[in-house]
Amino acid sequence: MSCAKKHLDKNLMLYAVTDRRWLKGRTLAFQVEEALKGGVTFVQLRDKELDKEAFLKEALELRALCRSYGVPFVINDRVDAALEADADGVHVGQKDMEAGCVRELLGSDKILGVSVRTVEQALLAERQGADYLGVGAVFPTGTKTDARPLSRETLEEICRAVEIPVVAIGGISRENVMELAGSGICGTAVVSAVFAQRNIRQAAQELLGLIREMLATPAGERMQP
């Protein structure tokens, strides 16, 4: 097992997904490093617009940065770039390459994450070699406007159905993260809650503290942030 795959459930606690919309003249590497300094435990590079050369250059830069902080780094969808950049793994959605095919290309040592919305999708992804699942959107989100919020019941059913870690994603913020207490997740994946904030490092620090509290809080004892 690779170093990146050890203790994966703990590494998934605060999972940051990049988005270039909030660069404001700064580089993506600057934003990611600020997030890492704030305690982000996992980083996914997601960019559907950059050409292959520019994307690979960015992937190599972020891979080196994440490794310097000991944080796993995966790439969304673009398996070829992940292999070329020697990223720690790949995350795919239901409309991307099938998880089983991705696992064959990656081999057994790389991390494979899969986005799911149903128990059936979750069980299939697990059988096809997924190491973790991203489940959502759990709240309304501006990142994917066509994503209908998933019910709390479905989130809990998915967590009970699989043996691999589950990360909640979609519309999660410091104002609502405590609502996920007791659901069975091992962490949350966020975009704007970190990268759209004026002080990225502080936003990550505060959110990580709330996530730790959420994970330690039983469902019947949900607290307000």
Side-chain angles (χ1 to χ4, degrees):
M1 181 183 292
S2 68
C3 293
K5 289 181 74 166
K6 293 180 180 178
H7 311 298
L8 186 58
D9 54 341
K10 294 181 180 179
N11 287 333
L12 292 167
M13 190 177 296
L14 178 50
Y15 183 138
V17 181
T18 66
D19 193 316
R20 303 181 66 83
R21 286 182 295 174
W22 300 296
L23 289 182
K24 299 175 183 177
R26 299 173 295 189
T27 66
L28 196 61
F30 172 84
Q31 286 202 328
V32 169
E33 184 158 26
E34 284 298 292
L36 290 166
K37 288 177 179 177
V40 159
T41 59
F42 200 101
V43 173
Q44 179 191 135
L45 171 60
R46 184 179 188 275
D47 194 310
K48 302 288 188 178
E49 306 300 327
L50 286 182
D51 61 40
K52 182 177 180 180
E53 184 178 354
F55 185 85
L56 182 58
K57 181 180 179 182
E58 198 150 71
L60 289 167
E61 186 175 14
L62 295 189
R63 183 207 68 182
L65 185 59
C66 288
R67 287 189 180 173
S68 71
Y69 282 84
V71 169
F73 168 69
V74 300
I75 289 175
N76 180 277
D77 182 22
R78 301 168 78 156
V79 181
D80 55 343
L83 290 169
E84 197 166 346
D86 191 25
D88 293 309
V90 173
H91 186 94
V92 292
Q94 292 298 309
K95 296 180 181 179
D96 299 325
M97 186 185 296
E98 186 181 55
C101 296
V102 178
R103 174 53 75 199
E104 288 183 13
L105 292 170
L106 290 179
S108 60
D109 283 345
K110 298 290 187 181
I111 298 169
L112 173 57
V114 180
S115 295
V116 303
R117 286 183 56 87
T118 68
V119 170
E120 291 74 21
Q121 289 175 351
L123 291 171
L124 177 59
E126 185 176 37
R127 288 196 301 271
Q128 291 179 330
D131 295 301
Y132 74 88
L133 303 175
V135 179
V138 293
F139 300 113
T141 172
T143 304
K144 290 189 176 182
T145 55
D146 60 341
R148 292 178 292 102
L150 208 65
S151 70
R152 164 84 182 211
E153 181 181 13
T154 299
L155 175 62
E156 291 181 359
E157 287 177 351
I158 291 172
C159 290
R160 289 193 298 267
V162 297
E163 296 182 3
I164 55 178
V166 172
V167 177
I169 188 169
I172 298 168
S173 67
R174 64 189 313 278
E175 287 75 28
N176 61 23
V177 68
M178 290 303 296
E179 296 178 31
L180 298 170
S183 61
I185 62 172
C186 69
T188 65
V190 298
V191 186
S192 63
V194 169
F195 292 118
Q197 306 310 305
R198 179 175 297 179
N199 188 324
I200 292 173
R201 190 187 311 189
Q202 182 179 344
Q205 288 173 338
E206 293 177 355
L207 188 55
L208 181 59
L210 288 169
I211 292 169
R212 285 176 172 150
E213 184 179 359
M214 177 270 293
L215 293 174
T217 302
E221 300 178 19
R222 282 178 269 173
M223 300 167 60
Q224 296 297 320

